[in-house]
């Protein structure tokens, strides 16, 4: 363990708005608490919820607020007697308040070792999607058919592959440009938008056992209500107020076993994973703009020198 002070550059916003509200601040980190690791961040995933927190559409914390839920990096200081963690270890995991910063303090209990064959971009973007996807399938329970709305993002990509691994018939919606991508993951792809319910019934005439919405729009809501069997599970991770109370919010449950399960499958090539866009940390405003302006295939990631 080291006890030297360390500076971190942190992305924050003191008000709600578009990306112009983002700014960088320098902060001296406090002495490292017991059971914590100090991580020099190499890559950190960006999720739609980060951008929506910035605008104030989703209010999760008091102002000023910081951002990010996942990362990969190197341990530069540690406060534990556990022998399997040491300074210099490459790790990934979930954050402890924020991860869009050059140096972060996180609980050791949030860490998994980064496999050597995972590049930093992949490692830094997995934790949130992996644990959310596993939470979704745990909430749904045993099922034979699943409808996923807005499935081309990070959570959707992993959810499709986990579901297929369990023998579930998956129909997934995305934009026209991402249809081949969904098919490659193992889903039956459908273009979202007007007429979605009719397209779904043509492809899957019998009601679905369950649905999960990752877009939060009205087309998805109505399609789930019309396409899922009576009493079937209908969930959403979009964090938006929907027009139907029958669609229940699903919130991620952090679980290292679940995270390790997905990391192992990405590392051995069993699961596909795509980072479609990466940005130097200094270009975070552009990254947040792009998240707000369109759906990302796979994940967007901030990188750190």
């Amino acid at each position: 363990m080291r006890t030297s002070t360390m500076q971190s550059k942190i992305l924050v916003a003191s008000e709600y708005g578009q990306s112009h509200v983002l700014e960088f601040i320098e902060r001296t980190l406090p002495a490292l608490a017991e059971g914590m690791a100090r991580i020099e961040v190499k890559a950190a995933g960006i999720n739609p919820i980060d951008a929506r927190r910035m605008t104030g559409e989703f209010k999760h914390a008091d102002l000023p607020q910081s951002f990010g839920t996942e990362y990969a990096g190197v341990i530069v200081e540690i406060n534990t007697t556990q022998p399997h963690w040491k300074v210099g270890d490459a790790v990934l995991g979930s954050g402890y308040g924020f991860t869009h910063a050059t140096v972060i303090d996180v609980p050791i209990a949030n860490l998994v070792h980064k496999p050597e064959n995972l590049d930093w971009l992949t490692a830094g973007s997995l934790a949130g999607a992996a644990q959310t996807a596993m939470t979704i399938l745990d909430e749904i329970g045993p099922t034979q058919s699943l409808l996923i709305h807005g499935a081309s993002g990070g959570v959707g990509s992993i959810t499709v592959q986990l579901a297929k691994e369990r023998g579930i018939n998956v129909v997934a919606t995305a934009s026209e440009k991402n249809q081949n991508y969904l098919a490659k993951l193992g889903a039956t792809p459908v273009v979202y938008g007007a007429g979605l319910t009719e397209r779904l019934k043509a492809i899957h005439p019998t009601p679905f056992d369950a649905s999960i919405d990752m877009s939060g729009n009205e087309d998805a809501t109505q399609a789930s209500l019309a396409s899922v069997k009576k009493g079937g599970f209908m969930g959403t991770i979009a964090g938006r107020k929907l027009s139907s109370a029958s669609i229940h919010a699903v919130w991620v449950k952090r679980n290292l076993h679940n995270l390790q399960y997905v990391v192992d499958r990405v590392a051995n090539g069993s699961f596909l994973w795509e980072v479609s866009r990466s940005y130097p940390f200094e270009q975070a405003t552009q990254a947040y703009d792009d998240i707000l302006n369109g759906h990302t295939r796979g994940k967007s990631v901030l990188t750190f020198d």
Side-chain angles (χ1 to χ4, degrees):
M1 184 189 79
R2 301 186 320 194
T3 58
S4 59
T5 59
M6 186 171 291
Q7 294 287 116
S8 180
K9 180 186 287 187
I10 304 168
L11 185 69
V12 301
S14 297
E15 59 183 313
Y16 297 116
Q18 299 300 305
S19 65
H20 68 273
V21 303
L22 297 173
E23 59 181 323
F24 297 103
I25 63 169
E26 293 278 349
R27 181 181 299 167
T28 301
L29 298 176
L32 193 62
E34 185 177 355
M36 299 289 285
R38 184 156 290 169
I39 311 295
E40 183 180 87
V41 180
K42 298 296 186 182
I46 316 166
N47 294 296
I49 198 71
D50 294 315
R52 292 175 50 222
R53 285 180 55 222
M54 175 187 71
T55 64
E57 179 188 354
F58 182 77
K59 295 180 179 178
H60 178 67
D62 294 334
L63 294 171
Q65 60 178 332
S66 46
F67 305 92
T69 58
E70 60 201 357
Y71 65 90
V74 175
I75 296 176
V76 293
E77 185 178 338
I78 196 160
N79 191 348
T80 184
T81 57
Q82 296 181 30
H84 55 284
W85 298 110
K86 64 183 186 301
V87 170
D89 282 349
V91 296
L92 64 93
S94 302
Y96 187 62
F98 59 89
T99 65
H100 293 175
T102 55
V103 183
I104 60 175
D105 293 347
V106 299
I108 294 164
N110 288 15
L111 300 177
V112 300
H113 287 285
K114 183 184 84 67
E116 288 187 7
N117 65 326
L118 283 191
D119 60 76
W120 287 116
L121 294 179
T122 298
S125 59
L126 270 177
Q131 293 175 98
T132 303
M134 291 290 280
T135 300
I136 289 167
L137 292 179
D138 288 346
E139 295 270 333
I140 290 173
T143 188
Q144 297 299 310
S145 58
L146 174 63
L147 169 62
I148 304 177
H149 296 289
S152 63
V155 177
S157 298
I158 295 297
T159 305
V160 169
Q161 293 174 94
L162 285 169
K164 293 300 295 183
E165 185 181 58
R166 300 183 186 192
I168 299 170
N169 178 28
V170 179
V171 175
T173 74
S175 64
E176 180 70 47
K177 68 179 181 180
N178 288 324
Q179 297 295 290
N180 289 338
Y181 175 70
L182 291 182
K184 189 176 180 180
L185 296 179
T188 300
V190 178
V191 177
Y192 54 46
L196 175 58
T197 298
E198 290 70 26
R199 289 193 294 279
L200 290 171
K201 287 185 176 179
I203 286 177
H204 197 276
T206 59
F208 290 94
D209 292 333
S211 70
I212 184 73
D213 171 27
M214 302 178 183
S215 59
N217 61 46
E218 188 63 17
D219 286 339
T221 297
Q222 294 305 316
S224 288
L225 294 172
S227 304
V228 176
K229 70 182 183 182
K230 185 176 181 180
F233 180 91
M234 293 184 290
T236 180
I237 64 165
R240 290 187 168 106
K241 185 180 173 93
L242 303 181
S243 62
S244 174
S246 298
I247 300 176
H248 305 288
V250 176
W251 301 105
V252 61
K253 294 180 174 65
R254 305 296 181 188
N255 183 302
L256 273 192
H257 174 76
N258 286 347
L259 174 55
Q260 190 71 64
Y261 186 90
V262 175
V263 168
D264 289 345
R265 276 148 185 76
V266 174
N268 69 22
S270 299
F271 282 3
L272 299 175
W273 184 251
E274 181 171 334
V275 174
S276 61
R277 295 183 292 203
S278 65
Y279 308 80
F281 186 40
E282 293 75 16
Q283 295 178 16
T285 54
Q286 183 62 55
Y288 276 62
D289 277 341
D290 290 346
I291 286 284
L292 287 174
N293 290 333
H295 292 286
T296 301
R297 188 164 78 192
K299 285 299 288 283
S300 293
V301 182
L302 295 172
T303 61
F304 301 75
D305 292 331

